[in-house]
Amino acid sequence: MKSSLTFHKVIVGLLVIYLLIPLVGTFLFSIAGKWDHTILPESYTMDWYIELFQDERFYDAFRRTLFLIVMSVGLSVVIMLPTIFIITVYFSKWEGLLQAAAMLPYGIPPIVGAVGLIKVYSDGPIQIAGTPWILIGAYFITILPFMYQGIRSSLRTINAVQLVDAAELLGATKFQSFRTVVFPNIISGILVSTLLSVALLFSEFAFANLLVGGRFETIQIYLADKLNSSGHLTSAIVITYYSMILLLTGIVLKLTFRNEKNPVVSNKKRILSFFKKQHCNKNTAIEGEK
Amino acid sequence: MNYVTIDQVTKGYENQVVLNDISLTLKKGEFATLLGQSGCGKSTLLRSIAGLEGVDVGRILIDGKDITNLSPRQREVGMVFQSYALFPNMSVFDNIAYGLKMKKVKNIKSKVKNMIDMVDLIGKEESYPHQLSGGQQQRVALARALVMEPKVLLLDEPLSALDAKIRKSLQKELKRIQKELDITTIFVTHDQEEAMTMSDRIFVMNKGKVVQSGSPSEIYTSPVNTFVAKFIGNYNVCNMEVFHKLVRSTELKGNEVAIRPEVLQLVSAGEDSLDLQENWGIKGVIKDVSMTGNVLRYEVETDESAFLVDYLHHRGEMFEQGARVHILVPKKECIIL
């Protein structure tokens, strides 16, 4: 019993180390001065951060990325939430169709998607190729699976159909029953989907590069550009925007759960699992970028 | 005066008929039960009355008003679901007050207080659904429906998710509250015992039709067909030709004969003093004995078919497995189907 517990602890420990090493490495590199033939850096400096924070391009890129994310995630919530709710509760026979549509983005590699999008939107009635708007559209599609799965499973968990039945029998209109009964119970699910999408879009490079490239420099394009000049600086960028995501996530979570008198256990679990996923995202991102 | 009228209601999905020309009426204050196996259409009928499902043909009237095409919120019916369907984000008080708030009623507080008192949940006002037991949750659901003073209360298998003991006590309480408020109630269940204990009237349903309606004792003592006989009381149903052979008499006419297991008597094969004036005798062997606490159930094999015989469990009076016996069948207890 005791030895097996130790064994579990060792496994968990190794996993944590495995996940943290790239992050810690990146962080050390971002504050390292000379670091050639020693295990830890020989000297430390904040120069890279100073250089970064004095660069107007960094702030612009950050703002652009935030703009894209807020627009596409916002649009996604505004459109997908009512859609999924209405289909699940009132038109369940079309659920399969919606599910298939929501899963499509998984099947299309960004390069293929980007080439197609450029072709379609370079002429014809909607000429938005090369503008941020096409990127917002592409991002909307990219995060569709996350939004769909998150919202739908929240609706399932609370048995939304029956709650709506009950509310309507008690005299609520369809909209009232959504607002007072369904929405408060799936808010945490929506939040998790949203945060996951934000984290995903922060590290999105392929679409941004192919669709708009230097014309609308996002944080990832800025990062790719700096990759050629200094590894230290790119590490500083990565650490900075991770910290930003973490801060953002923390604030949103805190705001949402502060007023919640009734934090259901499953919410906590979902958020824990979200953090795990985000962690994986980060690490793959680091490895990909270095 | 009929308070609830279901008039020739028919409903189907694609190529399957779920409700087949159902007509029934209820009086005010009546406790009616829709009884049947799963898939017989009883829940669909209840949901149609609630307005959660539409009907293809037919009319539904409550208190003289045709509600067939009204939305659920306009129908003035209350419903309790099997899985409670409480609002997880609201406390007990808010759950019960929900409907009143939607209707913008005055004196919400005192009405909710009264209801909490009635369903015996004092002290739980601020609890959330997940902090309550199944029985308590169902009381909240009941209070939430009743506080709206609905014209008809619909109960969709409200007790079947609860364990036996709590179910029994909630049955009694439900009945008490129903009588106290004199509220017309339609109860759906697949449990014939529950239907018997609670109802003023039972509608036995099978394959989308009401096959028999009547008081619990009418349904139990005079089933109209084999389905009701088997479903409601474990009747021994025997083909008439077989029965003629067994009792060596062709006195009874008809297709089948149904006999309740508790009216049959067993006598040891050696005994001569059989009363064959009032009874028929059938020779048999005890094949199996099972006990459900207060009742002993014998399965007796005869030349042609097996019979179930129920006895109250008295100490020391028991036939062994393999014993040769006579089954005494009281002539007046034979129901011809």
Side-chain angles (χ1 to χ4, degrees):
Chain A
M1 183 76 191
K2 202 176 179 183
S3 69
S4 80
L5 200 68
T6 322
F7 177 70
H8 287 293
K9 279 181 183 167
V10 168
I11 295 279
V12 172
L14 283 175
L15 190 69
V16 169
I17 290 169
Y18 176 76
L19 292 174
L20 281 182
I21 278 182
L23 253 186
V24 173
T26 310
F27 175 67
L28 283 180
F29 200 60
S30 74
I31 55 167
K34 194 169 158 31
W35 193 6
D36 299 325
H37 47 269
T38 47
I39 289 177
L40 288 174
E42 288 170 52
S43 63
Y44 295 93
T45 170
M46 290 303 283
D47 284 354
W48 313 115
Y49 283 96
I50 293 166
E51 190 186 329
L52 178 67
F53 291 140
Q54 282 172 348
D55 188 356
E56 271 304 312
R57 271 178 72 199
F58 169 71
Y59 293 105
D60 288 340
F62 205 92
R63 263 197 296 278
R64 288 192 199 102
T65 300
L66 272 185
F67 167 75
L68 287 176
I69 289 174
V70 169
M71 288 298 284
S72 42
V73 174
L75 201 66
S76 185
V77 171
V78 170
I79 293 178
M80 292 316 288
L81 181 60
T83 309
I84 297 168
F85 171 72
I86 290 167
I87 296 245
T88 312
V89 176
Y90 298 107
F91 300 97
S92 48
K93 60 179 173 185
W94 292 349
E95 228 184 319
L97 194 70
L98 184 66
Q99 186 167 19
M103 290 302 132
L104 269 183
Y106 275 134
I108 304 171
I111 311 254
V112 177
V115 171
L117 285 171
I118 292 170
K119 260 215 144 68
V120 170
Y121 291 106
S122 339
D123 52 25
I126 313 165
Q127 293 187 24
I128 51 169
T131 69
W133 305 110
I134 194 171
L135 203 51
I136 290 173
Y139 282 177
F140 179 89
I141 301 294
T142 309
I143 59 174
L144 204 56
F146 297 94
M147 299 306 283
Y148 174 74
Q149 287 296 353
I151 294 172
R152 196 192 60 143
S153 58
S154 315
L155 287 174
R156 287 258 165 106
T157 311
I158 62 161
N159 197 352
V161 180
Q162 199 160 70
L163 291 187
V164 170
D165 281 353
E168 282 191 45
L169 276 165
L170 290 167
T173 60
K174 286 183 165 56
F175 179 71
Q176 278 174 326
S177 60
F178 174 74
R179 189 176 56 84
T180 55
V181 174
V182 176
F183 187 70
N185 288 307
I186 60 168
I187 179 78
S188 61
I190 297 171
L191 194 76
V192 169
S193 302
T194 308
L195 289 178
L196 200 58
S197 304
V198 169
L200 183 83
L201 292 184
F202 242 106
S203 27
E204 207 289 324
F205 175 71
F207 270 128
N209 191 36
L210 289 165
L211 290 176
V212 292
R215 274 162 293 181
F216 193 79
E217 196 178 60
T218 66
I219 196 86
Q220 291 297 332
I221 296 184
Y222 174 73
L223 185 72
D225 186 53
K226 288 290 166 193
L227 212 54
N228 302 322
S229 51
S230 159
H232 292 289
L233 192 63
T234 45
S235 298
I237 300 171
V238 170
I239 292 298
T240 307
Y241 86 68
Y242 282 170
S243 315
M244 293 298 238
I245 296 183
L246 211 64
L247 198 71
L248 198 80
T249 316
I251 291 170
V252 176
L253 287 183
K254 194 135 200 170
L255 281 180
T256 315
F257 288 104
R258 193 186 52 188
N259 294 327
E260 198 158 337
K261 285 177 259 171
N262 172 28
V264 185
V265 184
S266 62
N267 288 345
K268 286 183 195 158
K269 271 189 202 155
R270 258 183 266 156
I271 282 162
L272 276 178
S273 72
F274 161 71
F275 271 117
K276 277 178 214 148
K277 277 184 205 155
Q278 202 199 26
H279 212 103
C280 296
N281 269 350
K282 280 180 190 174
N283 287 292
T284 48
I286 290 173
E287 279 148 24
E289 281 146 17
K290 264 192 162 177
Chain B
M1 176 65 196
N2 293 326
Y3 195 68
V4 178
T5 306
I6 313 276
D7 185 19
Q8 298 180 314
V9 163
T10 296
K11 179 182 175 59
Y13 298 116
E14 292 181 14
N15 43 28
Q16 191 195 355
V17 180
V18 186
L19 301 177
N20 188 355
D21 193 23
I22 289 185
S23 293
L24 57 89
T25 57
L26 298 180
K27 291 189 175 56
K28 187 159 180 8
E30 210 170 3
F31 193 115
T33 296
L34 304 177
L35 174 66
Q37 289 157 330
S38 58
C40 72
K42 56 191 191 308
S43 284
T44 310
L45 181 58
L46 198 75
R47 289 174 62 82
S48 300
I49 298 169
L52 300 173
E53 309 240 6
V55 300
D56 300 338
V57 185
R59 292 187 314 153
I60 300 170
L61 291 93
I62 292 179
D63 197 11
K65 188 168 139 198
D66 188 338
I67 60 156
T68 320
N69 297 311
L70 296 183
S71 71
R73 52 193 290 266
Q74 296 166 315
R75 294 193 176 205
E76 296 177 80
V77 298
M79 184 156 172
V80 175
F81 298 85
Q82 181 179 359
S83 57
Y84 325 133
L86 296 179
F87 308 134
N89 57 317
M90 296 179 202
S91 65
V92 168
F93 186 94
D94 289 335
N95 259 287
I96 299 173
Y98 184 84
L100 298 174
K101 281 181 192 159
M102 288 294 132
K103 283 221 163 140
K104 303 202 170 62
V105 177
K106 282 176 193 157
N107 298 328
I108 291 183
K109 234 180 181 163
S110 68
K111 285 187 177 177
V112 175
K113 281 249 152 68
N114 284 342
M115 215 20 95
I116 287 177
D117 191 21
M118 175 166 272
V119 296
D120 202 11
L121 277 174
I122 295 170
K124 295 281 179 195
E125 292 89 344
E126 297 310 314
S127 304
Y128 282 87
H130 73 272
Q131 297 166 324
L132 302 176
S133 69
Q136 288 170 331
Q137 289 188 43
Q138 201 53 294
R139 283 162 199 262
V140 178
L142 183 65
R144 188 177 66 174
L146 286 174
V147 78
M148 301 297 292
E149 295 168 15
K151 287 182 171 168
V152 178
L153 178 65
L154 307 171
L155 305 165
D156 190 3
E157 308 218 11
L159 307 175
S160 48
L162 302 168
D163 60 59
K165 211 164 189 178
I166 292 174
R167 190 195 307 192
K168 287 264 185 296
S169 79
L170 262 182
Q171 277 174 2
K172 270 190 192 155
E173 209 165 339
L174 192 60
K175 190 75 192 167
R176 169 183 68 79
I177 294 170
Q178 189 262 338
K179 284 277 165 253
E180 211 170 303
L181 298 175
D182 192 31
I183 184 168
T184 315
T185 304
I186 306 178
F187 183 84
V188 159
T189 183
H190 60 261
D191 180 341
Q192 86 278 16
E193 203 182 308
E194 195 167 88
M196 296 280 168
T197 0
M198 303 188 66
S199 323
D200 299 323
R201 204 130 63 95
I202 296 176
F203 297 87
V204 184
M205 289 184 66
N206 188 28
K207 294 180 185 155
K209 274 185 169 295
V210 173
V211 288
Q212 187 174 4
S213 71
S215 71
S217 88
E218 275 166 20
I219 299 257
Y220 189 72
T221 53
S222 23
V224 292
N225 63 23
T226 320
F227 172 79
V228 180
K230 288 199 165 157
F231 185 62
I232 203 94
N234 291 307
Y235 271 77
N236 293 299
V237 179
C238 186
N239 181 293
M240 195 55 85
E241 276 177 38
V242 173
F243 191 72
H244 287 166
K245 269 192 214 165
L246 283 173
V247 299
R248 276 167 264 129
S249 150
T250 54
E251 202 175 306
L252 293 179
K253 303 282 178 244
N255 287 325
E256 282 175 316
V257 59
I259 311 149
R260 277 183 284 151
E262 67 270 23
V263 300
L264 296 176
Q265 273 187 298
L266 296 178
V267 182
S268 288
E271 205 109 11
D272 327 315
S273 57
L274 299 181
D275 175 10
L276 292 175
Q277 287 285 315
E278 305 286 319
N279 304 293
W280 282 299
I282 302 174
K283 265 190 236 166
V285 180
I286 306 271
K287 199 178 153 204
D288 194 28
V289 189
S290 57
M291 192 198 54
T292 60
N294 60 340
V295 173
L296 282 175
R297 169 160 293 177
Y298 297 100
E299 196 182 331
V300 186
E301 184 103 316
T302 66
D303 294 341
E304 300 288 339
S305 70
F307 282 79
L308 293 179
V309 181
D310 281 357
Y311 263 84
L312 275 177
H313 193 172
H314 291 292
R315 190 183 298 275
E317 294 174 22
M318 211 169 136
F319 291 94
E320 296 292 329
Q321 204 169 335
R324 303 197 151 272
V325 291
H326 283 289
I327 308 173
L328 285 185
V329 183
K331 290 181 180 177
K332 61 174 195 275
E333 295 286 358
C334 292
I335 299 164
I336 294 161
L337 298 174

